[in-house]
Amino acid sequence: MRCTSWLLGSALFGLMSAAQAAVDPAVLDRPAPTPIRASKIVLVGDSTTAVQGGWGPAFCARHVTSFLTCTNLARGGRSTYNYRAEGSWALAEAEMRTPGYATTWVLVQFGHNDQPGKPGRSTDLQREFPDNLRRYVREIRAAGAQPVLLTPLTRRQFADGVLIDDLAPWAEAVRAVARELEVPLVDLHARSRAVVQALGPVAAMPLAQAQAAATPAQVSAALEGTTVGAAPVAGAPAAQNNALTEPMGQAKVAFDYTHLGPDGAALFATLVTEEMARQVPSLRPMLIP
């Protein structure tokens, strides 16, 4: 008898629960769904943008909303020439043509490896470098995407307390192409140069990829206002060889004045975000300062 009563009670409870569920407005009275309008950013460039040593990872992780996909296709050791020649640009074009996105923006930042002394990478500043940028812009637009050009991130090398602005001509070439083709410009070179000069050689050292690996000679030189590379002989200061510290092969984690650790990535990703919000107002709602 008790068993029968329990079964009847359980059945009644089930019927009551089913009746309540049947009239639950959260289930039956749903409004018509509103399709999302998601967009995408594709990052193209060298190691100063790439996933290891660049500002790109911090930008994608901290500065975009969930309605803005962020794909980092930057690769260390690449210039405007070999990024295309090796097939990386073909992968970027495929990303631009992925259906379903309201708008796709492609951010292009080169310059470091276009400089002289980079075998298999260097380009001619007067002609090839700007021509390569023009071709990238044309092909981005042909794919239905929106180009954004970035001037190259500054290096953090100093002489007597003054930043060595060795990338200035490449930054100016990017500015000229942006003006000519009416492309939004993120002047990362100008912004980063001002910040690094204000920090000085000592305060800029923690921005490096492996800040703890700085040698006593490098720290001592920075305190005197000058940066030096890893000395080939103990106690013998040497200028940094940028061709060696920006390799084409497997990325390495080391102290230098080019690549970024977490602090450097966070700082320069914030600068990129600020400039993107100014130069591409339609992106502003999807960016997190």
Side-chain angles (χ1 to χ4, degrees):
M1 188 69 173
R2 288 181 181 178
C3 182
T4 302
S5 299
W6 181 83
L7 289 173
L8 288 173
S10 296
L12 181 61
F13 178 79
L15 290 172
M16 292 174 63
S17 299
Q20 289 174 346
V23 296
D24 184 354
V27 175
L28 291 183
D29 296 335
R30 293 171 177 163
T34 302
I36 65 167
R37 286 183 56 80
S39 293
K40 176 161 60 171
I41 281 180
V42 179
L43 303 182
V44 168
D46 55 37
S47 59
T48 60
T49 302
V51 293
Q52 185 174 8
W55 54 264
F59 175 80
C60 290
R62 304 179 186 180
H63 294 285
V64 301
T65 72
S66 59
F67 290 91
L68 186 60
T69 298
C70 191
T71 301
N72 191 346
L73 296 183
R75 304 184 195 284
R78 272 60 180 184
S79 67
T80 57
Y81 160 71
N82 68 338
Y83 188 88
R84 176 189 294 279
E86 71 183 5
S88 286
W89 181 245
L91 297 177
E93 285 189 297
E95 287 291 334
M96 298 175 215
R97 299 180 187 277
T98 302
Y101 291 99
T103 307
T104 296
W105 286 272
V106 183
L107 278 59
V108 178
Q109 183 208 292
F110 287 107
H112 283 251
N113 298 294
D114 288 87
Q115 290 186 299
K118 306 287 185 72
R121 298 175 274 173
S122 299
T123 62
D124 172 66
L125 173 61
Q126 302 305 319
R127 192 166 181 181
E128 187 180 9
F129 179 63
D131 281 351
N132 287 345
L133 291 176
R134 292 184 186 101
R135 186 178 175 188
Y136 283 133
V137 168
R138 289 196 303 269
E139 292 177 1
I140 290 168
R141 287 172 168 166
Q146 302 296 318
V148 180
L149 292 178
L150 284 76
T151 54
L153 177 74
T154 190
R155 293 189 177 95
R156 304 177 302 281
Q157 295 172 270
F158 288 80
D160 297 323
V162 178
L163 187 68
I164 300 172
D165 194 6
D166 61 340
L167 283 157
W170 284 264
E172 186 51 43
V174 177
R175 295 183 191 109
V177 172
R179 289 192 299 268
E180 174 192 337
L181 300 183
E182 298 182 337
V183 179
L185 176 74
V186 171
D187 200 344
L188 179 58
H189 185 76
R191 289 294 306 272
S192 61
R193 185 182 184 282
V195 168
V196 173
Q197 178 63 72
L199 287 172
V202 175
M205 293 181 84
L207 304 180
Q209 192 176 27
Q211 54 180 287
T215 66
Q218 288 172 320
V219 174
S220 178
L223 289 169
E224 297 297 324
T226 298
T227 53
V228 296
V233 179
Q240 176 176 285
N241 185 329
N242 291 317
L244 292 178
T245 60
E246 298 162 14
M248 254 297 294
Q250 181 64 35
K252 61 179 182 179
V253 177
F255 175 85
D256 60 46
Y257 307 105
T258 299
H259 301 103
L260 306 174
D263 292 347
L267 171 61
F268 296 120
T270 299
L271 296 186
V272 170
T273 305
E274 290 174 357
E275 289 302 307
M276 285 287 291
R278 292 189 184 97
Q279 303 304 325
V280 189
S282 58
L283 258 177
R284 192 175 301 158
M286 291 176 280
L287 295 175
I288 302 169

